[in-house]
Amino acid sequence: MSTHIGAKPGEIAERVLLPGDPLRAKWISENFLDDAKCYSTVRNMFGFTGTYRGVPVSVQGTGMGMPSASIYTHELINEYGVRTLIRVGSCGALSEDLALRDVIAANGSSTDSAMNRQRFDGLIDYAPVADFGLLRTAVDVAAAKGIHLTVGQVLAADAFYTDRPDLYDRLADYGVLAVEMESAALYTIAARYRARALTILTVSDHIRTGEKTSAEEREQTFGQMVQVALDTIIA
Ligand SMILES: O=P(O)(O)O[C@H]1O[C@H](CO)[C@@H](O)[C@H]1O
Ligand SMILES: O=c1cc[nH]c(=O)[nH]1
């Protein structure tokens, strides 16, 4: 096992879905994978491996925020040989063009996290981006399924509760679609270790209108996003 994942070598597939919520990982394993087995309960951050259309796929909770997601991403890639990672998360819409439950693919991720400032000595504003091949496949998969997928940039924020809503307005002016809390770290670590990563998100709440989904919905009803992610990850 690695420091934070209790799997034996070979128990995690090369292709992994990454929800922040470990109970969403359980829900995905129970509803979308065949023969799923739990390989880790360390910290209740559940991980499962099963098959999807005959292809081994794992699903691992990552927790909330970039420090937590970085730990799981780093260990999955470097200690378990994971090569393809698709985050399946919830987000708050910044764009007025989005509605509750819309599905987004993040082609790039701006961030207020200091992690990349530290990586580049504060001298470079590194631009974390999605793997182009995965993004293109996700667009094709969504189109084939008749699922409307909006592609654009998101904000990966350190704080869920912001003191600077004015910056959200400004980001929306610059085309940033939504806010979540992990994608910049995922894209950066995947790039560093030559893995492929994509973030697909469902709008769980709308920053402009104040509309929200319930915690149960966030755990369990993001099926369209999961379908796009699974058909993309096995392609
Ligand atoms: O639904 P998940 O994947 O956890 O993603 C979003 O939800 C959490 C905040 O409620 C953060 O982790 C954010 O990125
Ligand atoms: O990080 C997140 C996730 C959902 N909604 C938000 O406002 N922020």
Side-chain angles (χ1 to χ4, degrees):
M1 67 178 279
S2 63
T3 307
H4 301 91
I5 303 173
K8 297 191 193 79
E11 285 188 331
I12 302 182
E14 281 189 13
R15 305 156 202 248
V16 182
L17 296 193
L18 302 173
D21 180 354
L23 290 178
R24 193 180 312 133
K26 184 167 183 281
W27 176 74
I28 292 169
S29 77
E30 288 171 352
N31 289 281
F32 294 88
L33 300 184
D34 294 320
D35 303 320
K37 290 194 180 54
C38 182
Y39 60 72
S40 184
T41 57
V42 176
R43 292 174 179 248
N44 277 348
M45 197 57 74
F46 306 127
F48 302 85
T49 299
T51 59
Y52 180 72
R53 300 203 178 155
V55 180
V57 174
S58 297
V59 51
Q60 170 67 54
T62 63
M64 289 185 276
M66 286 177 268
S68 182
S70 296
I71 288 171
Y72 293 99
T73 303
H74 188 101
E75 291 181 17
L76 287 169
I77 294 172
N78 292 301
E79 305 209 29
Y80 291 99
V82 171
R83 305 310 308 152
T84 306
L85 306 96
I86 301 185
R87 167 164 156 66
V88 282
S90 61
C91 67
L94 301 177
S95 164
E96 285 174 0
D97 297 335
L98 290 170
L100 223 52
R101 299 182 194 82
D102 277 0
V103 185
I104 296 173
N107 58 4
S109 177
S110 294
T111 185
D112 58 9
S113 161
M115 291 172 104
N116 282 353
R117 265 176 253 142
Q118 288 175 14
R119 272 194 182 90
F120 296 102
D121 295 336
L123 297 173
I124 305 285
D125 289 330
Y126 178 76
V129 294
D131 177 82
F132 178 69
L134 283 179
L135 179 59
R136 184 165 55 180
T137 301
V139 169
D140 291 345
V141 162
K145 289 182 169 303
I147 295 171
H148 184 70
L149 180 70
T150 304
V151 178
Q153 200 182 146
V154 300
L155 171 70
D158 270 347
F160 182 84
Y161 297 105
T162 183
D163 286 335
R164 295 294 306 269
D166 56 310
L167 291 182
Y168 284 3
D169 295 340
R170 198 175 304 169
L171 284 163
D173 289 343
Y174 281 80
V176 175
L177 296 174
V179 56
E180 52 86 74
M181 299 176 66
E182 292 83 14
S183 55
L186 171 64
Y187 289 174
T188 301
I189 292 170
R192 172 68 182 80
Y193 298 111
R194 304 290 186 271
R196 306 189 306 153
L198 177 64
T199 293
I200 305 179
L201 302 164
T202 302
V203 175
S204 60
D205 50 274
H206 208 295
I207 308 285
R208 306 271 154 196
T209 63
E211 297 167 277
K212 283 184 193 339
T213 53
S214 68
E216 191 184 21
E217 270 190 283
R218 287 197 294 278
E219 183 187 313
Q220 300 192 347
T221 63
F222 294 161
Q224 288 196 328
M225 164 176 73
V226 175
Q227 281 294 343
V228 173
L230 281 169
D231 282 340
T232 299
I233 211 163
I234 65 162

